[in-house]
Amino acid sequence: SQTIHQWPATLVQPVGSPLSLECTVEGTSNPNLYWYRQAAGRGLQLLFYSVGIGQISSEVPQNLSASRPQDRQFILSSKKLLLSDSGFYLCAEGGTVNQPQHFGDGTRLSIL
Amino acid sequence: DQQVKQNSPSLSVQEGRISILNCDYTNSMFDYFLWYKKYPAEGPTFLISISSIKDKNEDGRFTVFLNKSAKHLSLHIVPSQPGDSAVYFCAASGSGTYKYIFGTGTRLKVLA
């Protein structure tokens, strides 16, 4: 079965600093990959998804970007963090037709 | 526009009784529905799903019911156990897409 690794588990960053969150997946090849954000008291918002290397679809215009340099690696980045970027960031894989997505354990990002 | 709604932010149930979590959606193109359970500081865990060709799916103590005419689904947990205490998210997707739309979650507390 697949395993989704996310790191770091928690991160505290100052406003204006850059960001790089990494997600790697084991146990599957050519997965669909996703980045979600859960803001305090809200549901999961899809930020980006990728169906293959170098293929990124953005769902919400924002201060963030995503890249997929390898088949099982998905990176979430920002050049300059805003206070509103605080939240719980989740990586997921899967979600092919009638198959569920599976999530990593997330990164708690706090912006000061 | 919130296409998937969980109108009850919280629910308390006695151990051994039935827990019923509700979810409403507005998009008639949704044809695959899922429930996830989430503990604090962890990623959501897939629980159960249902496709629009069915109106019920059962897995052990968990049953999902889908009422397409009312655009409503519910998750029944019988009997409820203290370990079921978590936040439950419903999600929906439309045919041919990889994108899930999540509700805002319902926090279930099962009292011993």
Side-chain angles (χ1 to χ4, degrees):
Chain A
S1 64
Q2 72 286 343
T3 302
I4 303 162
H5 299 283
Q6 283 190 250
W7 63 90
T10 59
L11 188 60
V12 180
Q13 292 283 98
V15 169
S17 63
L19 173 74
S20 181
L21 300 181
E22 187 163 342
C23 170
T24 59
V25 181
E26 294 178 359
T28 184
S29 59
N30 196 29
N32 294 338
L33 297 174
Y34 312 82
W35 279 111
Y36 287 87
R37 175 172 61 201
Q38 183 186 12
R42 303 185 69 176
L44 280 67
Q45 181 186 35
L46 179 63
L47 302 175
F48 301 95
Y49 72 95
S50 171
V51 299
I53 296 174
Q55 301 179 59
I56 308 294
S57 295
S58 173
E59 289 298 300
V60 181
Q62 61 215 319
N63 187 40
L64 302 169
S65 61
S67 62
R68 185 167 177 178
Q70 299 180 42
D71 181 45
R72 287 174 281 182
Q73 184 184 31
F74 204 22
I75 297 172
L76 184 69
S77 304
S78 173
K79 292 182 180 177
K80 276 189 174 184
L81 285 167
L82 306 172
L83 282 173
S84 58
D85 292 323
S86 293
F88 191 50
Y89 287 83
L90 289 154
C91 178
E93 71 82 31
T96 52
V97 176
N98 289 357
Q99 292 296 317
Q101 294 176 17
H102 297 278
F103 288 80
D105 279 340
T107 294
R108 171 75 58 194
L109 176 64
S110 299
I111 311 299
L112 303 178
Chain B
D1 176 34
Q2 191 73 23
Q3 295 186 67
V4 178
K5 298 178 184 178
Q6 294 177 256
N7 291 318
S8 297
S10 64
L11 174 69
S12 290
V13 171
Q14 285 295 131
E15 181 179 8
R17 306 296 290 270
I18 184 171
S19 294
I20 300 176
L21 297 101
N22 294 304
C23 181
D24 297 293
Y25 62 96
T26 58
N27 190 335
S28 58
M29 298 302 291
F30 289 149
D31 62 2
Y32 183 55
F33 305 88
L34 311 93
W35 284 96
Y36 283 84
K37 178 168 76 171
K38 185 181 180 302
Y39 294 119
E42 293 184 10
T45 301
F46 169 70
L47 207 51
I48 192 168
S49 64
I50 188 168
S51 106
S52 60
I53 62 173
K54 294 185 172 182
D55 53 20
K56 176 183 173 181
N57 189 25
E58 195 171 352
D59 184 1
R61 296 186 298 116
F62 303 93
T63 302
V64 56
F65 294 93
L66 176 62
N67 182 333
K68 289 184 289 293
S69 61
K71 294 191 178 67
H72 177 84
L73 67 154
S74 60
L75 174 68
H76 292 209
I77 307 174
V78 183
S80 301
Q81 300 173 354
D84 296 329
S85 297
V87 177
Y88 289 78
F89 290 97
C90 66
S93 71
S95 57
T97 78
Y98 308 111
K99 298 184 287 186
Y100 291 179
I101 307 297
F102 280 84
T104 52
T106 296
R107 182 178 302 279
L108 173 66
K109 189 170 184 179
V110 180
L111 307 169

